[in-house]
Amino acid sequence: MAGATRSNSATRVSRPLLGLSLAVYLFLYIPLIVVIVYSFNASRVQSGEWGGFTLDWYNKLLHNETLLNATLNSLIIGVAAAAIATVLGTLAGLALHRYKLRLLPVLVLAPVAIPEILQAVSLVLFFNAINLTLGMVSIILSHVAFCISFVAIVVRSRLQGMDESLTEAARDLGATPWQAFRMVTLPLIMPGIIAGALMAFTLSIDDFVITFFTSGPDAATLPLQIYSMIKVVVTPEVNAVSTLLMLLTLILIIIANKIAPSALQAK
Amino acid sequence: MANQPAAGLRARMARWPVTAPPTLYLVLFFLVPTLIMVLASIQYPGEFGGLSPILIEDQGHTRLDITLENYQRAVSETIYLQLFLKSLWYAIVTTVLCLVLAYPLSMMIARSNKKYRDLLLLLVILPFWSNFLIRIYAWMIILGPQAALAKGVNAALGAVGMEPVSLLFSPFAVIVGLVYVHLPFMILPLYANLEKHDPTLLDAAQDLGANAWQRFWKVTFPLSLPGVYAGAALVFIPALGAFAVPDLLGGTDAIMIGNVIKEQFREARDWPFGAALSFVLMAVALLAALAAAWAGKRYQQQAD
């Protein structure tokens, strides 16, 4: 018993440690709270003055054609990129888990390890070389390229926590490799695949740097639209978009957490 | 069975449907583009932007038309060297600040009751899932000239007779933004490491008379080095190539190498020079990644 008390004093969370941690949490959250509060602020000038509660900025959003179009583009790109990346990423995760490969691990990890702008620039040069006009297609192809890695990492971590003997048992009982995969492995890694798909969707919807380079003149996405809203003149509408986007992300996270609590933390 | 050549071949064939699709996709949309970028960095710019052809007809002969001029320009014009040094400096400061902020938080979570750890960690990741631009934009509001912070700072500066300063569009704003968007990359690996520490080591240190500071500096910190290296690489590399943060929060004198690369591809339309700058950035990023991997490996060897 005495040992237990002592262990508490050496490894306990001390008061200064708690204070510092709280300060870091505030640093993480205050900026987002500011944006949410401002989205309900009637004052047009963002001076910290409260001009009364309003839903005007949300109302304005509903009539902003460009923004709605950009949102639609983002959703189409997000769904398409997530669908393709989920299939390819799941295969990559399986391959990395099962086989000793040389090329694929590098191809999966390198995009995560280099600054995003390099991938953006090289894709622009590539699309130029193959004469592909920049637009929705080039954006989707680019998003798939960076989403595969994240799906693969999540799926592989799910496989690592799985009992491989189940698949072997299925094979011993006469299942073909495909049957063993479809009826044993796939259901077991499904939570990882869904979490990976949601992650790919979020990353695609969220992406700015790669989209900024690989989009053409008529394929604006939501982040590109937000960029032009905050780069030149800031209108308070952007606070309302931001708040709605945060809400959407929160819902996605709750869903992901319900389906695969462990897979979400793999990130 | 597996040693028989036919079975080996069959096993190899069975791999193909799994390995080939992702490999092909990433070769086509990651490896080939990267190689094209390297190639573009030794080409001449085209007459109307883009690239000039790599093979040209010269008096009936076809010859390679390549150059090292882009790299010469990148190292000989001091403005680019200064930009690289400035970007390196920003990335280093960002990494150190992230470490200082991440450490107490990661340690607190790792020492908390097991029941609450997942929730506390989720609270770290949550803001990180909100849109990247919105997180930068939030700091545009907070640091903006009309916000309370800037007014307060300038009132204080005015009281001691100093000129007012602009918080937004300054190196300060860029560093704050870089720290803010990269902080979770430091917290997660640090926590993953600290969580595995054996608490009895700290008990032993305490029994041997070490005070709280000595316990931290002689036990916890050295053991956490692998987490520190991993976190440092995950923050330093993207911070070095940052483009959106300095674009939105930096002024004219707080631009980074990412902004110049974007300029070459968008406004200046000098793709080969942009590609050369990108290649240098890639080399530095890869060196940083190798250094982190090497430090981690050396730690392992010392531990063994």
Side-chain angles (χ1 to χ4, degrees), chain B residues 59-254:
Chain B
Q59 296 163 350
H61 296 285
T62 311
R63 68 173 177 87
L64 269 179
D65 191 34
I66 53 173
T67 173
L68 283 176
E69 265 173 31
N70 302 308
Y71 287 99
Q72 272 165 6
R73 204 178 138 201
V75 288
S76 66
E77 290 182 28
T78 40
I79 173 171
Y80 299 111
L81 192 67
Q82 280 172 348
L83 256 168
F84 256 106
L85 290 177
K86 195 159 74 176
S87 303
L88 271 175
W89 174 238
Y90 286 178
I92 291 169
V93 173
T94 300
T95 310
V96 172
L97 287 175
C98 278
L99 182 63
V100 170
L101 289 178
Y103 217 107
L105 189 63
S106 313
M107 209 153 99
M108 188 276 286
I109 301 178
R111 291 184 180 181
S112 296
N113 192 320
K114 254 204 161 93
K115 271 195 294 191
Y116 304 121
R117 282 187 206 165
D118 282 354
L119 180 69
L120 290 170
L121 204 61
L122 187 69
L123 282 177
V124 169
I125 308 173
L126 210 55
F128 168 67
W129 281 93
S130 70
N131 185 281
F132 172 66
L133 288 173
I134 294 168
R135 281 177 283 150
I136 303 174
Y137 162 67
W139 285 102
M140 293 174 76
I141 302 181
I142 295 173
L143 300 175
Q146 287 167 321
L149 188 65
K151 281 185 178 159
V153 167
N154 282 327
L157 285 176
V160 293
M162 285 168 75
E163 292 286 306
V165 292
S166 163
L167 296 181
L168 189 59
F169 306 131
S170 67
F172 168 75
V174 174
I175 302 276
V176 170
L178 287 175
V179 169
Y180 188 68
V181 297
H182 294 115
L183 190 55
F185 292 118
M186 183 67 91
I187 295 176
L188 295 182
L190 252 186
Y191 165 75
N193 172 285
L194 289 169
E195 198 243 339
K196 283 183 282 191
H197 287 198
D198 182 353
T200 54
L201 286 173
L202 290 173
D203 287 336
Q206 194 181 29
D207 288 346
L208 293 169
N211 63 32
W213 178 249
Q214 286 169 323
R215 288 199 299 268
F216 171 74
W217 203 234
K218 302 260 168 158
V219 181
T220 307
F221 187 73
L223 281 174
S224 72
L225 280 175
V228 172
Y229 297 145
L234 287 177
V235 171
F236 177 82
I237 294 170
L240 183 67
F243 144 68
V245 172
D247 184 70
L248 290 165
L249 296 176
T252 38
D253 62 318

Side-chain angles (χ1 to χ4, degrees), chain A residues 3 6-13 17-18 20-22 24-25 27-32 34-35 38 45-49 84 88-92 94-95 98-101 103-104 106-108 110-119 121-130 140-142 144-145 148-149 177 198-199 202-203 205-209 211-215 222-224 226-227 230-231 234-236 238-239 241-243 245-246 249-250 253 257 264-265 267, chain B residues 10-11 14-15 17-19 21-38 40 50-51 100-109 111-112 118-142 146-148 151 176 179-180 183-185 187-188 199-200 202-203 206-207 215 234 237-238 240-244 247-248 257-259 261-262 265-266 271 274-275 277-279 281-283 285-286 289:
Chain A
R6 258 212 320 266
S7 123
N8 276 341
S9 77
T11 54
R12 179 187 64 197
V13 178
L17 188 60
L18 204 62
L20 285 171
S21 308
L22 197 67
V24 178
Y25 272 125
F27 174 70
L28 285 173
Y29 279 91
I30 283 179
L32 300 181
V34 167
V35 172
Y38 269 62
V45 196
Q46 316 215 318
S47 58
E49 253 147 65
I84 305 170
L88 294 173
T90 302
L91 290 174
L94 276 167
R98 284 188 182 165
Y99 312 121
K100 263 197 130 41
L101 302 165
L103 183 60
L104 193 59
V106 178
L107 290 176
V108 166
V112 189
I114 63 169
E116 214 183 350
I117 194 170
L118 296 177
Q119 212 178 346
V121 162
S122 58
L123 280 164
V124 170
L125 289 164
F126 173 71
F127 291 136
N128 176 64
I130 62 168
I140 293 172
L141 290 171
S142 311
V144 172
I148 288 179
S149 310
L198 286 173
M199 192 188 268
T202 319
L203 286 169
I205 289 268
D206 193 40
D207 181 74
F208 168 67
V209 176
T211 316
F212 181 79
F213 281 89
T214 55
S215 67
L222 194 52
L224 292 183
I226 293 176
Y227 176 75
I230 59 179
K231 178 71 184 172
V234 175
T235 61
V238 79
N239 297 313
V241 191
S242 310
T243 306
L245 263 180
M246 279 186 234
T249 321
L250 195 65
I253 290 175
N257 214 21
L264 195 71
Q265 271 139 33
K267 192 173 178 170
Chain B
R10 261 183 54 192
R15 282 182 184 193
V18 180
T19 56
T23 308
L24 281 178
Y25 195 93
L26 289 171
V27 164
L28 193 57
F29 293 101
F30 178 72
L31 189 62
V32 170
T34 307
L35 294 176
I36 290 180
M37 183 190 89
V38 177
L51 305 167
V100 170
L101 289 178
Y103 217 107
L105 189 63
S106 313
M107 209 153 99
M108 188 276 286
I109 301 178
R111 291 184 180 181
S112 296
D118 282 354
L119 180 69
L120 290 170
L121 204 61
L122 187 69
L123 282 177
V124 169
I125 308 173
L126 210 55
F128 168 67
W129 281 93
S130 70
N131 185 281
F132 172 66
L133 288 173
I134 294 168
R135 281 177 283 150
I136 303 174
Y137 162 67
W139 285 102
M140 293 174 76
I141 302 181
I142 295 173
Q146 287 167 321
K151 281 185 178 159
V176 170
V179 169
Y180 188 68
L183 190 55
F185 292 118
I187 295 176
L188 295 182
T200 54
L202 290 173
D203 287 336
Q206 194 181 29
D207 288 346
R215 288 199 299 268
L234 287 177
I237 294 170
L240 183 67
F243 144 68
D247 184 70
L248 290 165
I257 200 71
N259 304 76
I261 292 176
K262 174 233 154 191
F265 276 87
R266 288 303 195 88
W271 288 14
L277 291 174
S278 304
F279 184 75
L281 175 62
M282 187 164 76
L286 288 178

Side-chain angles (χ1 to χ4, degrees), chain A residues 106-260:
Chain A
V106 178
L107 290 176
V108 166
L109 293 177
V112 189
I114 63 169
E116 214 183 350
I117 194 170
L118 296 177
Q119 212 178 346
V121 162
S122 58
L123 280 164
V124 170
L125 289 164
F126 173 71
F127 291 136
N128 176 64
I130 62 168
N131 269 325
L132 180 76
T133 314
L134 297 181
M136 295 286 272
V137 175
S138 61
I139 299 175
I140 293 172
L141 290 171
S142 311
H143 283 198
V144 172
F146 71 77
C147 286
I148 288 179
S149 310
F150 291 93
V151 179
I153 292 167
V154 174
V155 169
R156 185 177 59 167
S157 78
R158 177 84 194 174
L159 280 161
Q160 279 164 346
M162 197 186 103
D163 190 354
E164 195 67 17
S165 61
L166 289 170
T167 313
E168 282 161 27
R171 295 281 282 122
D172 286 345
L173 292 170
T176 64
W178 169 245
Q179 281 172 328
F181 172 74
R182 207 181 61 84
M183 295 159 90
V184 179
T185 315
L186 191 62
L188 282 171
I189 61 170
M190 202 36 120
I193 296 177
I194 294 172
L198 286 173
M199 192 188 268
F201 179 72
T202 319
L203 286 169
S204 165
I205 289 268
D206 193 40
D207 181 74
F208 168 67
V209 176
I210 288 179
T211 316
F212 181 79
F213 281 89
T214 55
S215 67
D218 12 82
T221 65
L222 194 52
L224 292 183
Q225 208 57 46
I226 293 176
Y227 176 75
S228 65
M229 284 171 93
I230 59 179
K231 178 71 184 172
V232 197
V233 199
V234 175
T235 61
E237 275 172 77
V238 79
N239 297 313
V241 191
S242 310
T243 306
L244 288 179
L245 263 180
M246 279 186 234
L247 198 66
L248 174 76
T249 321
L250 195 65
I251 293 169
L252 283 178
I253 290 175
I254 292 170
I255 296 173
N257 214 21
K258 279 247 152 46
I259 301 169

